[in-house]
Amino acid sequence: MMTHTLQTPSDGVIGDYVRSHESFLKELDSEQPSWLRSIRSSGIAHFSEQGFPGTDQEKWKYTNLASLRKTCFPPVAGSEISEEQRVEILSRIPEKLEGERLVIVDGVHCGSLSERSNNLKFQFLPFSSMVKNSDNRVDSYLGRHIRHDQNPIVALNSAFIREGVFLEMPSGLQIEQPLHIFYVDTGKKSGSAVHLRHLFIAGSNSRVEIFEHYISLNESHGFTNVVTEVFVGENASLEHIKWQDQNRTSYHISNLAVAQESGSRFTSHSISTGAAISRNDIHIKLVGERTESFLYGLYLGRGNQLVDHHTVVDHLKPNSESEEIYHGILCEKSHGVFNGRIHVHSEAQKTNAKQSNRNLLLSRDSWIDTKPELEIYADDVRCTHGATVGQMDEQAVFYLRARGIPEPAARRILVGAFAGEITQRIPLASVRQSLQSYLLEELSRIPLEICSR
């Protein structure tokens, strides 16, 4: 087994994280599998060497994590919930959302709020259960397509792996009802962190829809670090919907890595409405022929929020297709960042790739840094990309007002329609309706002068 020698910093935030990691290991069951101990050891070693990324790095040029670098966020390990909190949590689940549900509260699986059948034909379990049962299937997939030696945020996640969700769909199984992963931050332990690790495996010819939802119960300060690895087998289909709506004093950083085999289809719906600073890194590898990948995103910024999306779509084989459409709505002093890169490798002839990023600025002080990129090494491809930044269409506002609609309502109708171009693609009606109601309520709180140029 590979060992890692850790040079412990004597002071500073990195040193605090190293000491926190030592305490974390002492709290764990001594029967932890060797492969997981190795990942944790390697993770803290690489994080202590690299630390949090700075704005001097190109990928983090517009997203300043200075506030994260000032304070150590020790890992939280669950907390008791009151009956009042239980009622509130259940009320936040979209109405009529059927299917299996796993609930994680403050970093620990909550069985009393989860809904799982006993005779499932697939594996849908808390990560901790797989570790407890010493299941080596996790070891064979974990870290295969996302390396913590190249990403300090992933390294920090690897160091503090404790909970998450493991999903494995056997070949040929297609389920109609979605799977729901619900993360709740109760705020009882302000200034703490949760490092979630998800692993989704879709066997050949399988089909599944997953809905991930992140919420907070109050305005406490916290850090959520999520790493998700997805493997889509031959001719399989996996649809992933993620709605991040944590409070606007928290930090949320997510890394999603997807590998697709021949004939597979992967669809991502990334909705970001919460957190003071949120960062979503999505890396898709189309490793087989005739693969299809679709990325749709919507972000809403208010106050001083910073919302960052970085995407990479790697076309590695011929006859693959990808489509990427992201819409941003930025109000008050919020800041959006979008960096999308399509990489067509030399062998990936007959690639068809499209990318679009459109942004609506609803105040003078909001802004967006957008950078669509194409990197093409094949000569028989069809690839397009583009980005737009604009304000409210005054002619459209006038058109609605001429038909008796008050100006505030007219403006919000137009913003809602702009968002609807993304939300209407969500296949789960209950989630789609819940999100649309949420957006209408949030837009109603934006004063008219902020909606103006």
Side-chain angles (χ1 to χ4, degrees), residues 237-241 265-269 292-296:
S237 174
L238 190 149
E239 191 135 4
H240 181 243
I241 305 158
R265 179 187 180 98
F266 174 77
T267 306
S268 166
H269 306 265
E292 297 178 331
S293 190
F294 303 95
L295 308 181
Y296 305 118

Side-chain angles (χ1 to χ4, degrees), residues 100 122 124 167 169 175 177-181 208-211:
E100 309 294 317
F122 55 93
F124 183 53
L167 166 67
M169 297 288 296
I175 59 174
Q177 292 186 331
L179 305 179
H180 185 191
I181 301 169
V208 64
E209 294 173 336
I210 304 166
F211 172 46

Side-chain angles (χ1 to χ4, degrees), residues 15-29 74-75 160 162:
D16 291 339
Y17 271 106
V18 172
R19 287 183 284 274
S20 177
H21 186 257
E22 292 170 353
S23 301
F24 167 75
L25 294 180
K26 292 177 182 178
E27 297 173 2
L28 297 173
D29 186 346
F160 289 97
R162 189 202 304 262

Side-chain angles (χ1 to χ4, degrees), residues 311-411:
T311 67
V312 178
V313 180
D314 268 319
H315 289 264
L316 298 166
K317 296 293 182 179
N319 300 298
S320 61
E321 178 181 357
S322 67
E323 180 179 63
E324 185 173 359
I325 304 175
Y326 273 73
H327 282 192
I329 302 170
L330 301 168
C331 312
E332 300 172 299
K333 296 182 179 180
S334 61
H335 177 197
V337 179
F338 177 82
N339 186 291
R341 181 161 64 94
I342 298 172
H343 184 182
V344 181
H345 294 249
S346 58
E347 191 178 339
Q349 302 293 343
K350 304 293 184 182
T351 289
N352 184 10
K354 304 173 184 177
Q355 181 191 97
S356 171
N357 175 228
R358 297 172 60 199
N359 297 278
L360 186 59
L361 305 184
L362 299 182
S363 74
R364 294 180 184 275
D365 296 322
S366 60
W367 81 101
I368 176 76
D369 292 295
T370 179
K371 184 182 179 183
E373 299 179 49
L374 287 178
E375 189 174 349
I376 303 174
Y377 298 97
D379 53 16
D380 187 7
V381 300
R382 288 192 299 171
C383 297
T384 62
H385 72 317
T388 62
V389 180
Q391 298 165 331
M392 193 75 69
D393 185 342
E394 296 300 330
Q395 287 188 340
V397 173
F398 177 80
Y399 177 87
L400 293 175
R401 292 185 64 191
R403 280 147 183 80
I405 299 175
E407 183 176 350
R411 293 184 180 279

Side-chain angles (χ1 to χ4, degrees), residues 2 56 76 92 123 143 145 174 226 288 342 357 374 402 425:
M2 182 180 296
D56 57 331
V76 64
R92 301 283 288 273
Q123 295 283 334
H145 287 289
Q174 302 187 7
V226 186
I342 298 172
N357 175 228
L374 287 178
R425 300 173 185 272

Side-chain angles (χ1 to χ4, degrees), residues 282-296:
I282 301 176
H283 190 174
I284 313 295
K285 291 184 178 180
L286 290 78
V287 298
E289 294 190 42
R290 298 173 287 101
T291 49
E292 297 178 331
S293 190
F294 303 95
L295 308 181
Y296 305 118

Side-chain angles (χ1 to χ4, degrees), residues 11 23 80 132 155 171 218 243 248 258 280 300 333 367 378 388 435 443:
D11 54 18
S23 301
E80 295 294 326
K132 185 176 181 180
S171 297
N218 58 33
W243 181 7
R248 283 187 265 164
V258 182
N280 293 277
L300 171 64
K333 296 182 179 180
W367 81 101
T388 62
L435 177 59
L443 291 172

